Amino acid sequence: MEAKPIVTCAQMTLRGHGDQSLFSLLHPIVLNGLPKESCEWKRSYGRAPRTLQLEASFVPYDADILPEEDDRVLISRPYFHIYWTDCDLEGYKQTVKEDIAEWQAALKGKNIPDWLIVVVVMDESKVKSKILPRSSVIDKVKNDFCNKAQERCLVLTEPMKTDPKSAESWYNFFIKLRPLLLTAYNRQLGRFEDNMRALREKRNEPGWNYMEYFVVQEELAFMFEILGVYDDALLQYDELDALFTQFAENHAAGAHVKWLTPLIQPCSNWSGLSLTKALNHQLRDAIKMNKASVLEFRNYLFSRQCALLFLLKRPGEVAQRALDYLHYTVQEMIALEVEVPQGALWCWVFLSSLAVLETCERYNESSRVNKNSLCIASLWDYARRKLKELGNVCGLIPGTMPTSKQLSCRVDLTSGMVTLNSEETAPTDKITPLDRLRQALSSDESYKKHYLEMCELAMGTYKHICRFRSARIIGRDLADFYMLLGEPHKAEGFLLDAIKMYRQEHWGHLADGTMLELAVCQAKMDDNAKFLKTACHIACSPHLKMADREHYFSEVMRIAEDKDEMCILKASKILGLEGAAVMTPTVILNEDFVIDTKIHNHFPRAITCSKISISVSHCPPEKQPSSSHFSKKKIAHTRTPSLTIHRPEHIANFQPIRKQLPAMIDTVATYEKRQGKIVGAGLTCKNAHELLKRTDSGPGGASDVDHTMKGDFTVSLLAEDIELQPGENNVQLKMKTAEKGVFYLSQLCYEVKHLDFLKSLSGWDLFFKVVCDQPRVELKPVKSDHFIAGIKQEATLTLLTGSFALPQGCSAQFKTTENLEVSTREGNSVLKLSPLEADQSSDFTTTVLHQTRQTFDGSSDAKLTCHVDVWDKKLDVHLNFVHPFKVEHVLHTCKEKKYLQVTIKGNTKTEFLVSQPELSALNSNDVELQLMNRTGQQMKVNSSQTASILWQIRCNIPDIPRLETELSFLYTCPLDLQAMPRKYLYTCSVENFQTKYILSYNVTSPEEDKQCKTGKTAALKLQVKKCNGGHNDPDERLVYDVRSDTDTWALVGKSTGIFFLKDDYYETILDVVAVKAGFMHLPLVHIHKYRADQSNMEESSNESLADPPEFVRFSRGEVYNSSVAQQVHVYPEMGGKDVEVSLMEG
């Protein structure tokens, strides 16, 4: 409001008549300086203090305008009174004192305690030049009038100047004036509120008038608005609103009051709410005289609430309150039984909604649009619905002809839409709500234009704030409107959106009910493809009446017969595959693969499928299941119950909608400060859960793939001429396997006349494996774990057919490698085969013999090839034979005597008996071989027991370079099918085996009959003697080599030496020192042949070699060392030192 609290100003100056008065000079400064600084208003009744910026209207003093004490007014009441004077002392005594006294007496007569006397000093220099001080006038005023209230007398020094002293004077003046004004306001407001409260308490008394009380409390609201306390002002109107609502409810319940009777008279004006002005004086005057209708009173009350909300900068609350206001007012009119023409309330709602929307659009800021958009969208939708109802009442709905009554209704409604405020005008560039409604009611085309515009605005606003459900409900009504217009192609999209919404929210009855309308729409469009899909869904719906289902089932069958080419549909929810079981996950090539299925027919009647097929596809290696998958006896898959699936299957027309992202990103900025400086900043998204929402996994979580494309059914399971009854049906499908590999079931197809119903099986994981096992032959011994060479064993030959069958009259022939004999029980190499099915086997008894040879080393391999005439295949069997014996020989020497030891070791656990060993010389008759074992002895040989045979070799000639021998013995085995012993041959040879030299040596003390002691030099006496039968070579040079552990013996001098035999004998002595005491082994001495260049050596047997000699070892048996392993007793040297003693076993 433009009104301000009134302050009177009385003055007395020294200027003559006709001069500008004192306050006229000071008025602009006082008017502008008062609100510059805010002050705290401490309120009564414990209410919270407020901070105000005071303003006032200063008027000349007049005793006639002084209010009485019991006046119930706030706006026109003078609250404060100021007396201004700039007189000197003489003037004060003559006239001013008397004038102030008269002014103060008038205030006291009205019981007004709020006043102030201001003494103005215009020129301080003139005051100083006089004898009396300038403060004498102030003192006089204080003594005469302000004796008990010194703060009610103020002085202004040179107020018209701009120096600091004058500014300070003004500052002190305002500092003291503001609290005095607030005290005056508070006093009057408190008295007024007490009176108002007392008046409200009488509301149940007879004769009490709400309209009179309304004017009183609105006066308080006006005062709060003047003071800038808008929320308190709004509270007064809210209380008035609640009080009126209570009276209206009581009146509707039978508690009638007289003051309400004029308001509920027949309504003749429904022009709607007006928010162009903050205060409608004409409506307020009508309310004061109790001549306003309920609608007019409600319009005025809500307009005042809106005006205060706009002052509070809360336009969003205006839209929110408007919804409640419109709903409650309509219900109030109905409850009070106010007589209005049909459609008048709808006109009022429409006009009021648009008025609020236009006003909110002017006040809304871009940052608040999204917060208030829900209420804005609801208002648009409310206005749209009322416009739709007006169209029904006035005959403006497309496809109908208006009656005379409806035309008359249009005229009546238009005549009642007038405004009481003649000064209210709308902007010329924008159509007013009143004009819009008049245009809509004027013609069918105009109504269509405005209704579609309202629908678009409401839907757009709902979509902007992601209220898609509300938008699609509007689209549902819009589809009906387009159907009435004869434009089904425009209605189809809205109906589909509504169906998607209902299905997403699991409202099956609503979705299928809308499906009936969609079918009618598509039938008018002559779109048989879409109509067919919709009709199938309707025919299978459990939520619709059986009559509707059977009707559309007949339509489906009619279209299926009339079509010239195949039409593809999705089978989900029509012919549902409830379960499938693979009876044999592993199938043999060329056999039948069978799958049992459970099919649910959702049609209301039985149908005949000319063909039910499931396409079979190769499975790539990376997607094949593990081998354990195919080892199961049965693989079954059952469809998951619909309650556990968040997004069920749909036919092609009705794919589920995806939730769109929010229209805005709501963020909050945060800052981190250290020592007053910003060191970090962050941005947090408050609605990240909506923007970053993950897609649910599991059934329905994956992206939809168009499975309405028919796959390749070249390889498929098939069942023909199957009649499916309503409900569950068991159907078995078969196919002949023609290719091996891993396959999976890809797609199911039901062929009904010219319709193909498809169902994808990609998520069912139904795999099967087609194997093609090659026939093979196995040969295993009967009584042992492995085959043994050299004996004839009984074996079982097993023929496995694999994926092939054997007819009658087939035979198999054996072919073996060298040294292998395999024969049947009859002794031939041909088997007569009996008929066998695929994956069967047959056993045959055979004998196996593999000849053994000395060259075999432990085991040997052989191969058996079996040729079956009917298959034209060669079946190979690789066999491994273990050699029964391992024979070794070794030569032993005792001086000039020679012995040959043969050891027979077993390679198997099977026991062999060895007997009659014989050894013969192959290349010499001058050798006698004498068996040292007992004649006729039988020896057992196996892997844990060996047999040793010893022969003495006697030579009749002195020199035999090489001796070739052959060993033979007989052996038997319990596993051998042949009872007679078998003979085993073993050949061996020995070279240079005759003894040529006998080597002997000993260690003795150099002193006779003395003991060898540690640390003392001892003599190593070495003797070499040539045998009589040895080869005599006088030029043969020999070399000895003495070796010993340095921890046992220390050699003094040389350890090797070249020597010749003289008279077949050689002897030498070497010095050695024993390091340890005890029984010590003698140093080890070897003799070798010596080969060296003759020009580099001397003919002395005792001198050292100039160049390293070449040692040539003798063959085994040519040198006999008779001192090997001998020991000598070494005694410790007696003394004070510790001596190490070693005891060695001989």
Side-chain angles (χ1 to χ4, degrees):
M1 294 184 65
E2 297 180 359
K4 298 176 183 178
I6 299 174
V7 177
T8 64
C9 297
Q11 56 187 344
M12 179 63 70
T13 68
L14 296 177
R15 296 179 177 84
H17 297 288
D19 295 336
Q20 187 179 8
S21 65
L22 171 63
F23 184 70
S24 299
L25 296 174
L26 302 178
H27 180 266
I29 302 176
V30 176
L31 195 64
N32 295 327
L34 184 61
K36 278 187 177 180
E37 292 187 12
S38 59
C39 58
E40 187 178 24
W41 179 26
K42 296 182 180 179
R43 308 176 64 188
S44 59
Y45 298 106
R47 288 175 284 190
R50 296 296 183 91
T51 301
L52 304 180
Q53 286 183 327
L54 291 178
E55 290 183 314
S57 176
F58 295 92
V59 299
Y61 170 76
D62 188 353
D64 295 335
I65 66 173
L66 294 179
E68 296 293 336
E69 187 176 359
D70 55 349
D71 284 351
R72 295 183 180 180
V73 292
L74 288 175
I75 303 303
S76 60
R77 169 190 289 273
Y79 287 89
F80 200 74
H81 307 273
I82 304 176
Y83 191 95
W84 302 81
T85 180
D86 60 350
C87 67
D88 54 10
L89 187 58
E90 184 179 353
Y92 173 76
K93 291 179 181 181
Q94 292 178 358
T95 59
V96 174
K97 180 178 180 181
E98 183 180 353
D99 193 61
I100 293 176
E102 183 182 350
W103 172 76
Q104 200 171 47
L107 295 179
K108 288 181 180 179
K110 299 291 185 177
N111 197 17
I112 298 174
D114 302 309
W115 51 268
L116 178 66
I117 300 175
V118 181
V119 178
V120 181
V121 179
M122 301 300 293
D123 190 354
E124 190 177 10
S125 62
K126 293 181 180 181
V127 176
K128 289 181 179 181
S129 65
K130 294 183 180 181
I131 299 174
L132 295 176
R134 63 181 177 123
S135 61
S136 59
V137 176
I138 300 174
D139 294 339
K140 289 290 183 181
V141 172
K142 289 182 178 180
N143 291 332
D144 295 339
F145 304 102
C146 305
N147 192 21
K148 295 181 181 180
Q150 297 290 329
E151 73 278 1
R152 293 193 178 272
C153 183
L154 301 179
V155 60
L156 271 176
T157 304
E158 296 180 345
M160 302 308 295
K161 292 185 178 181
T162 58
D163 56 353
K165 192 171 185 178
S166 176
E168 183 181 359
S169 178
W170 275 112
Y171 177 77
N172 293 331
F173 170 76
F174 288 123
I175 285 294
K176 294 178 180 180
L177 177 60
R178 292 186 186 104
L180 293 174
L181 287 176
L182 285 176
T183 302
Y185 296 161
N186 208 22
R187 180 180 290 111
Q188 296 300 328
L189 286 174
R191 186 181 302 167
F192 187 88
E193 287 181 341
D194 291 341
N195 295 332
M196 183 190 73
R197 196 174 297 109
L199 180 61
R200 185 173 56 199
E201 294 298 328
K202 300 177 181 180
R203 63 185 180 275
N204 293 327
E205 297 180 2
W208 189 86
N209 193 328
Y210 172 82
M211 294 304 170
E212 295 178 0
Y213 174 76
F214 176 85
V215 174
V216 173
Q217 190 164 358
E218 188 182 29
E219 189 83 8
L220 180 61
F222 286 158
M223 189 61 193
F224 282 137
E225 184 179 358
I226 290 171
L227 293 176
V229 191
Y230 303 124
D231 49 352
D232 282 1
L234 178 62
L235 180 61
Q236 307 308 314
Y237 284 107
D238 290 344
E239 291 179 356
L240 289 171
D241 188 356
L243 186 59
F244 183 83
T245 301
Q246 187 62 49
F247 275 112
E249 291 178 356
N250 294 341
H251 184 86
H256 300 289
V257 288
K258 292 183 179 180
W259 60 265
L260 193 56
T261 303
L263 275 73
I264 59 177
Q265 296 300 317
C267 185
S268 60
N269 187 353
W270 43 88
S271 56
L273 181 66
S274 176
L275 299 179
T276 56
K277 285 188 176 183
L279 181 61
N280 192 325
H281 293 282
Q282 291 184 358
L283 274 179
R284 190 168 188 272
D285 293 340
I287 292 171
K288 283 183 178 181
M289 294 182 291
N290 204 9
K291 294 183 178 180
S293 64
V294 174
L295 284 181
E296 290 171 343
F297 172 75
R298 281 296 187 183
N299 286 343
Y300 174 80
L301 183 57
F302 187 73
S303 67
R304 290 296 300 141
Q305 291 173 321
C306 292
L308 292 171
L309 287 171
F310 288 133
L311 290 174
L312 288 169
K313 297 181 180 180
R314 287 150 57 182
E317 192 173 340
V318 173
Q320 182 179 355
R321 287 189 176 213
L323 285 171
D324 298 336
Y325 159 69
L326 295 173
H327 285 294
Y328 292 156
T329 302
V330 171
Q331 296 303 318
E332 193 173 73
M333 292 285 289
I334 297 173
L336 293 176
E337 299 179 354
V338 179
E339 183 180 346
V340 290
Q342 185 181 10
L345 282 179
W346 301 335
C347 292
W348 175 81
V349 170
F350 180 84
L351 295 173
S352 300
S353 299
L354 293 190
V356 172
L357 289 169
E358 288 184 357
T359 309
C360 290
E361 185 179 356
R362 292 198 303 269
Y363 282 93
N364 265 333
E365 299 176 2
S366 58
S367 60
R368 298 179 180 175
V369 169
N370 290 298
K371 296 181 180 179
N372 306 330
S373 293
L374 178 58
C375 298
I376 298 296
S378 300
L379 282 174
W380 281 117
D381 185 32
Y382 196 23
R384 174 198 66 83
R385 284 186 278 130
K386 296 309 172 185
L387 185 60
K388 178 183 177 182
E389 294 176 4
L390 283 173
N392 291 326
V393 171
C394 299
L396 295 170
I397 298 300
T400 61
M401 292 296 295
T403 63
S404 58
K405 182 179 179 180
Q406 290 173 332
L407 293 175
S408 176
C409 182
R410 293 188 199 178
V411 176
D412 295 340
L413 292 178
T414 305
S415 63
M417 294 184 290
V418 295
T419 176
L420 294 177
N421 191 357
S422 59
E423 298 178 358
E424 184 177 338
T425 58
T428 57
D429 59 340
K430 193 170 184 180
I431 185 173
T432 64
L434 188 59
D435 294 337
R436 178 178 295 190
L437 183 55
R438 286 174 176 171
Q439 290 178 8
L441 298 178
S442 63
S443 65
D444 294 347
E445 285 298 322
S446 180
Y447 176 81
K448 170 187 172 183
K449 171 188 173 183
H450 286 285
Y451 180 75
L452 294 177
E453 182 182 355
M454 296 291 291
C455 291
E456 184 64 29
L457 288 171
M459 289 180 65
T461 311
Y462 274 127
K463 289 180 179 180
H464 177 69
I465 58 175
C466 299
R467 294 276 181 157
F468 300 104
R469 188 180 191 280
S470 300
R472 288 183 174 88
I473 290 176
I474 298 175
R476 178 76 171 74
D477 292 342
L478 197 56
D480 296 339
F481 190 78
Y482 278 123
M483 288 295 292
L484 295 175
L485 285 174
E487 299 177 1
H489 59 282
K490 293 182 179 180
E492 183 189 20
F494 295 109
L495 291 173
L496 286 173
D497 287 341
I499 293 171
K500 293 174 184 178
M501 175 188 67
Y502 292 141
R503 292 186 65 84
Q504 191 177 33
E505 297 177 359
H506 306 290
W507 295 101
H509 289 81
L510 294 176
D512 293 346
T514 310
M515 200 78 71
L516 290 172
E517 300 181 24
L518 179 63
V520 174
C521 174
Q522 292 171 344
K524 292 183 178 180
M525 294 168 58
D526 291 332
D527 192 339
N528 284 337
K530 292 182 178 180
F531 175 77
L532 180 60
K533 297 173 182 178
T534 307
C536 287
H537 187 85
I538 293 174
C540 299
S541 172
H543 306 117
L544 298 178
K545 297 179 181 179
M546 185 56 68
D548 294 331
R549 294 180 59 189
E550 290 183 349
H551 168 71
Y552 281 97
F553 175 76
S554 302
E555 292 293 320
V556 171
M557 294 295 104
R558 179 185 60 80
I559 295 175
E561 291 179 355
D562 295 344
K563 273 190 167 293
D564 297 332
E565 55 186 20
M566 298 300 294
C567 180
I568 296 177
L569 299 174
K570 291 187 70 174
S572 301
K573 299 298 181 180
I574 301 175
L575 297 172
L577 183 62
E578 299 296 323
V582 177
M583 306 309 296
T584 52
T586 302
V587 189
I588 299 175
L589 188 68
N590 298 322
E591 288 191 354
D592 288 338
F593 172 63
V594 180
I595 182 172
D596 292 336
T597 61
K598 291 182 180 180
I599 300 173
H600 192 96
N601 179 16
H602 294 275
F603 281 124
R605 299 178 188 170
I607 60 171
T608 301
C609 298
S610 57
K611 186 189 299 182
I612 300 177
S613 55
I614 299 178
S615 65
V616 176
S617 303
H618 264 289
C619 184
E622 63 273 8
K623 295 183 179 180
Q624 292 181 6
S626 61
S627 56
S628 60
H629 181 86
F630 302 105
S631 61
K632 300 176 182 178
K633 294 183 178 180
K634 178 181 177 182
I635 300 176
H637 182 92
T638 305
R639 186 182 65 85
T640 307
S642 59
L643 289 178
T644 64
I645 300 179
H646 296 288
R647 196 172 67 177
E649 295 177 288
H650 302 269
I651 61 176
N653 266 349
F654 314 109
Q655 296 298 328
I657 58 176
R658 295 181 178 179
K659 183 178 180 180
Q660 300 186 17
L661 293 177
M664 64 176 295
I665 301 177
D666 194 0
T667 58
V668 175
T670 56
Y671 302 93
E672 181 182 355
K673 293 185 178 181
R674 293 179 185 172
Q675 299 178 354
K677 295 182 179 180
I678 297 177
V679 296
L683 195 65
T684 305
C685 181
K686 296 175 68 175
N687 57 343
H689 61 285
E690 298 178 358
L691 295 168
L692 304 177
K693 192 172 183 180
R694 71 181 287 272
T695 303
D696 294 332
S697 60
S703 59
D704 291 330
V705 182
D706 187 7
H707 296 299
T708 56
M709 297 297 295
K710 189 173 182 179
D712 185 8
F713 280 80
T714 305
V715 180
S716 61
L717 294 137
L718 187 64
E720 295 180 337
D721 297 329
I722 303 297
E723 184 179 14
L724 298 179
Q725 297 294 331
E728 190 172 289
N729 300 265
N730 294 322
V731 179
Q732 188 177 77
L733 292 85
K734 297 181 181 180
M735 65 172 286
K736 193 79 170 180
T737 57
E739 184 180 1
K740 67 177 182 178
V742 178
F743 300 87
Y744 67 95
L745 306 185
S746 177
Q747 197 177 47
L748 171 64
C749 177
Y750 307 91
E751 186 174 319
V752 181
K753 298 181 180 179
H754 288 88
L755 301 181
D756 279 346
F757 295 95
L758 300 181
K759 162 71 177 176
S760 173
L761 302 179
S762 58
W764 285 55
D765 294 335
L766 293 175
F767 297 89
F768 68 94
K769 186 177 182 180
V770 179
V771 296
C772 180
D773 294 336
Q774 294 293 333
R776 66 182 188 276
V777 174
E778 295 179 356
L779 186 62
K780 296 181 180 180
V782 176
K783 297 181 180 180
S784 64
D785 296 335
H786 48 265
F787 286 107
I788 302 174
I791 62 174
K792 191 173 186 179
Q793 292 178 260
E794 183 180 1
T796 300
L797 186 142
T798 303
L799 175 63
L800 295 95
T801 59
S803 301
F804 298 85
L806 278 176
Q808 184 74 31
C810 298
S811 63
Q813 186 175 4
F814 300 147
K815 289 185 179 180
T816 61
T817 56
E818 186 180 1
N819 300 322
L820 177 62
E821 297 178 6
V822 179
S823 59
T824 63
R825 184 178 297 176
E826 292 78 11
N828 54 39
S829 59
V830 178
L831 278 177
K832 298 297 182 179
L833 303 178
S834 58
L836 294 175
E837 298 295 330
D839 203 19
Q840 290 186 351
S841 62
S842 180
D843 295 335
F844 303 92
T845 301
T846 59
T847 59
V848 178
L849 173 63
H850 189 271
Q851 301 295 336
T852 181
R853 289 185 179 183
Q854 182 179 345
T855 56
F856 291 164
D857 186 13
S859 64
S860 59
D861 295 329
K863 185 174 72 172
L864 168 67
T865 301
C866 182
H867 183 268
V868 181
D869 52 3
V870 70
W871 289 336
D872 194 19
K873 293 179 181 292
K874 292 183 179 181
L875 309 180
D876 294 335
V877 182
H878 294 276
L879 305 175
N880 180 264
F881 290 86
V882 179
H883 192 57
F885 307 114
K886 182 179 181 181
V887 182
E888 297 177 349
H889 68 278
V890 61
L891 181 68
H892 298 286
T893 302
C894 181
K895 293 186 178 181
E896 296 183 10
K897 294 181 179 181
K898 301 295 179 179
Y899 298 91
L900 183 65
Q901 181 184 6
V902 177
T903 302
I904 304 173
K905 299 179 180 180
N907 289 331
T908 68
K909 295 181 180 180
T910 304
E911 187 177 276
F912 285 81
L913 289 179
V914 176
S915 61
Q916 301 181 17
E918 294 183 0
L919 183 66
S920 59
L922 299 178
N923 61 340
S924 177
N925 296 325
D926 297 323
V927 177
E928 295 180 10
L929 301 174
Q930 181 180 356
L931 179 65
M932 306 301 293
N933 292 56
R934 188 175 68 250
T935 305
Q937 180 182 8
Q938 286 188 342
M939 294 167 284
K940 297 179 180 180
V941 176
N942 53 41
S943 58
S944 301
Q945 188 173 1
T946 60
S948 295
I949 309 173
L950 185 65
W951 280 272
Q952 183 179 1
I953 304 175
R954 296 177 180 175
C955 300
N956 298 327
I957 58 176
D959 187 14
I960 300 178
R962 179 183 179 88
L963 177 62
E964 298 285 346
T965 62
E966 182 182 63
L967 170 67
S968 64
F969 59 85
L970 300 180
Y971 64 91
T972 60
C973 178
L975 301 181
D976 194 354
L977 298 179
Q978 178 178 316
M980 298 298 294
R982 296 183 184 272
K983 188 175 184 179
Y984 184 84
L985 298 177
Y986 175 78
T987 60
C988 62
S989 64
V990 290
E991 296 180 357
N992 299 321
F993 63 92
Q994 293 174 295
T995 304
K996 292 183 178 182
Y997 302 98
I998 297 176
L999 172 64
S1000 61
Y1001 47 89
N1002 193 15
V1003 176
T1004 61
S1005 174
E1007 300 178 6
E1008 190 175 354
D1009 298 331
K1010 295 291 184 179
Q1011 299 172 340
C1012 291
K1013 296 183 179 181
T1014 58
K1016 299 294 183 178
T1017 303
L1020 174 63
K1021 185 177 181 180
L1022 187 148
Q1023 297 177 345
V1024 179
K1025 180 182 178 181
K1026 188 172 183 181
C1027 295
N1028 295 329
H1031 177 68
N1032 189 10
D1033 185 5
D1035 296 329
E1036 187 175 17
R1037 290 183 292 269
L1038 303 178
V1039 61
Y1040 62 83
D1041 180 18
V1042 181
R1043 298 178 184 177
S1044 176
D1045 188 2
T1046 56
D1047 294 336
T1048 306
W1049 296 97
L1051 299 180
V1052 180
K1054 61 183 180 179
S1055 62
T1056 60
I1058 302 172
F1059 64 91
F1060 293 94
L1061 294 179
K1062 293 181 180 181
D1063 299 329
D1064 297 333
Y1065 182 78
Y1066 173 76
E1067 180 178 333
T1068 186
I1069 296 176
L1070 303 176
D1071 293 335
V1072 295
V1073 177
V1075 179
K1076 293 181 179 180
F1079 288 93
M1080 310 301 297
H1081 283 287
L1082 297 178
L1084 187 61
V1085 181
H1086 296 282
I1087 61 174
H1088 308 280
K1089 298 177 184 179
Y1090 178 74
R1091 296 287 185 268
D1093 192 358
Q1094 296 292 333
S1095 61
N1096 295 331
M1097 64 169 292
E1098 299 179 1
E1099 298 291 331
S1100 175
S1101 61
N1102 294 323
E1103 69 180 303
S1104 306
L1105 298 177
D1107 296 326
E1110 180 181 357
F1111 296 167
V1112 179
R1113 291 181 177 274
F1114 284 102
S1115 298
R1116 181 181 180 87
E1118 287 187 302
V1119 177
Y1120 177 72
N1121 191 341
S1122 61
S1123 301
V1124 67
Q1126 288 186 5
Q1127 294 179 336
V1128 62
H1129 191 184
V1130 179
Y1131 293 88
E1133 177 68 21
M1134 302 303 295
K1137 299 182 180 179
D1138 295 335
V1139 178
E1140 183 179 359
V1141 179
S1142 177
L1143 296 178
M1144 304 183 66
E1145 296 181 0

